[in-house]
Amino acid sequence: MAGGRSGVAADRSAGGTQPFNTRETVSMKLAIIGLGRMGANMARRLSRGGITVVAHNRSRGPIDELVAEEEHVVPAYEEGDVLRQLDGPRVIWLMLPAGRVTSQAIERLLPQMSPGDVLVDGGNSRYSETMAHAERVEAAGVHFLDCGTSGGVWGLKNGYSLMVGGTREGFALIEPAIRVLAPTPDSGWGHVGPAGAGHFTKMIHNGIEYGMMQAMAEGLAVLRKKSEFDLDLAQVTELWREGSVVQSWLLDLTAEALKQEGQGLEAIRPHVADSGEGRWTAIEAIDLGVAAPVMTLALQMRFASQDEEGYGNRVLAMMRNAFGGHVVQRRDES
């Protein structure tokens, strides 16, 4: 096998020599509501960067885990405890599922907040809903910011890419936390525009991600199909990681996965979920009259992978038989 880098984690360490952004002394306290994989790791990174996090989750297990592990995490077992443990201007950062869960949380929290406080939606809300939330929140004198967040399970170590929409005044209040969460204090983050712009930017980011993943998957499928060459796809992806124009973090992850799972991937079902942002990207492209065939087709391929019934393909087989007499393969045939 061609020589290459030893692992994704080593390749992607934030700032190379500084896994957490502690170059500056940070004195800040904020709350995170929603301690799923992303929210909990963001709380960890903030704590390790010196920021005090008031942690709340619907179930207490993730709270207890954070309190036991991290020095600068304060528990808030009831949602009402969150605001009482913050000093003004209070910053509440939501890391909740998009849609009704986020909307209901905003409805509950807003009456308890004061003018000058900050409410951040760091989930994957649709940007149009974000704009509506911002109008309601800002009418009460509370700053509303939408933070498109990318980094996945690697964000704790490598930092997060942060795309923030909202007022500049509100952004200034959370900038110290942004600098700690980002890959370095001076890169990987930005105030990208008014309310909604952060989530819109993250939405398009995810659409691009769909296209990149689809192209890589198709290329590897073609390589594997050429059985006469007996290609080692773990080796091929590993050598592409150095000097190739397709080198990327996505390729790093793919190469590592092929080494760990085996290139046949027999244990993995061919079912690819979609989170919703790919759909929103395709719809937005249509509404704007922008040709985006790669992102749209990548989304459609995910739909195809989810179609275990295969009804459309069965209809095609039936039609082909009807007009051309072509053989139809039936389930009861061996």
Side-chain angles (χ1 to χ4, degrees):
M1 180 177 292
R5 293 171 285 186
S6 59
V8 175
D11 304 333
R12 298 286 299 178
S13 61
T17 58
Q18 194 166 331
F20 299 99
N21 298 334
T22 55
R23 287 185 294 190
E24 303 172 4
T25 300
V26 179
S27 177
M28 185 177 183
K29 189 176 186 181
L30 58 78
I32 291 185
I33 296 178
L35 302 176
R37 283 175 297 181
M38 187 82 86
N41 276 347
M42 288 172 65
R44 289 184 175 94
R45 189 170 175 90
L46 288 167
S47 173
R48 296 173 195 182
I51 291 179
T52 300
V53 178
V54 177
H56 174 72
N57 193 66
R58 184 175 58 180
S59 58
R60 64 179 293 152
I63 304 174
D64 290 338
E65 186 176 333
L66 279 172
V67 171
E69 293 176 356
E70 304 298 335
E71 179 181 359
H72 301 291
V73 173
V74 178
Y77 293 108
E78 301 296 331
E79 193 174 77
D81 295 336
V82 173
L83 286 159
R84 286 193 288 271
Q85 297 194 65
L86 295 172
D87 300 320
R90 298 171 294 183
V91 176
I92 297 180
W93 198 305
L94 303 179
M95 292 301 298
L96 299 170
R100 185 165 57 180
V101 174
T102 293
S103 296
Q104 289 177 343
I106 293 172
E107 290 298 314
R108 291 193 307 271
L109 290 164
L110 186 58
Q112 307 173 60
M113 300 182 76
S114 302
D117 287 347
V118 183
L119 187 58
V120 183
D121 180 3
N124 286 329
S125 296
R126 192 167 186 172
Y127 81 95
S128 53
E129 292 182 1
T130 295
M131 294 172 71
H133 290 154
E135 185 175 359
R136 167 134 167 66
V137 171
E138 289 171 1
V142 174
H143 297 289
F144 185 87
L145 300 168
D146 53 297
C147 184
T149 309
S150 180
V153 296
W154 294 93
L156 173 59
K157 179 176 179 61
N158 302 330
Y160 299 89
S161 174
L162 303 162
M163 302 146 262
V164 186
T167 65
R168 292 193 177 277
E169 294 80 7
F171 179 76
L173 294 172
I174 70 163
E175 187 173 329
I178 293 290
R179 289 178 176 273
V180 170
L181 287 169
T184 77
D186 302 315
S187 66
W189 60 271
H191 177 254
V192 297
H199 282 156
F200 183 81
T201 305
K202 174 58 164 46
M203 180 184 78
I204 303 305
H205 163 282
N206 280 25
I208 294 169
E209 176 187 293
Y210 276 39
M212 292 173 65
M213 293 174 68
Q214 184 67 32
M216 194 171 294
E218 290 177 8
L220 292 172
V222 174
L223 289 170
R224 180 166 171 76
K225 193 71 171 180
K226 195 68 171 176
S227 57
E228 66 203 74
F229 287 157
D230 192 25
L231 295 167
D232 181 344
L233 300 188
Q235 178 199 29
V236 170
T237 50
E238 181 66 36
L239 66 89
W240 283 352
R241 292 172 72 182
E242 299 285 356
S244 164
V245 295
V246 298
Q247 66 183 38
S248 62
W249 183 32
L250 183 58
L251 181 61
D252 294 343
L253 295 171
T254 304
E256 292 290 330
L258 286 169
K259 283 190 289 187
Q260 293 171 12
E261 295 283 348
Q263 64 176 333
L265 302 177
E266 288 87 357
I268 297 177
R269 287 183 58 223
H271 179 102
V272 187
D274 66 287
S275 63
E277 289 185 290
R279 301 183 188 210
W280 302 339
T281 299
I283 292 168
E284 194 68 27
I286 292 168
D287 287 346
L288 293 172
V290 175
V294 173
M295 292 189 292
T296 303
L297 184 56
L299 171 66
Q300 295 292 336
M301 291 302 294
R302 293 197 180 196
F303 294 161
S305 80
Q306 299 165 19
D307 181 16
E308 296 184 6
E309 181 183 3
Y311 182 77
N313 287 333
R314 285 188 276 161
V315 172
L316 288 172
M318 177 192 67
M319 289 190 292
R320 191 166 178 265
N321 172 262
F323 73 72
H326 300 288
V327 175
V328 173
Q329 295 182 14
R330 300 191 178 276
R331 294 186 184 276
D332 58 357
E333 294 176 350
S334 58

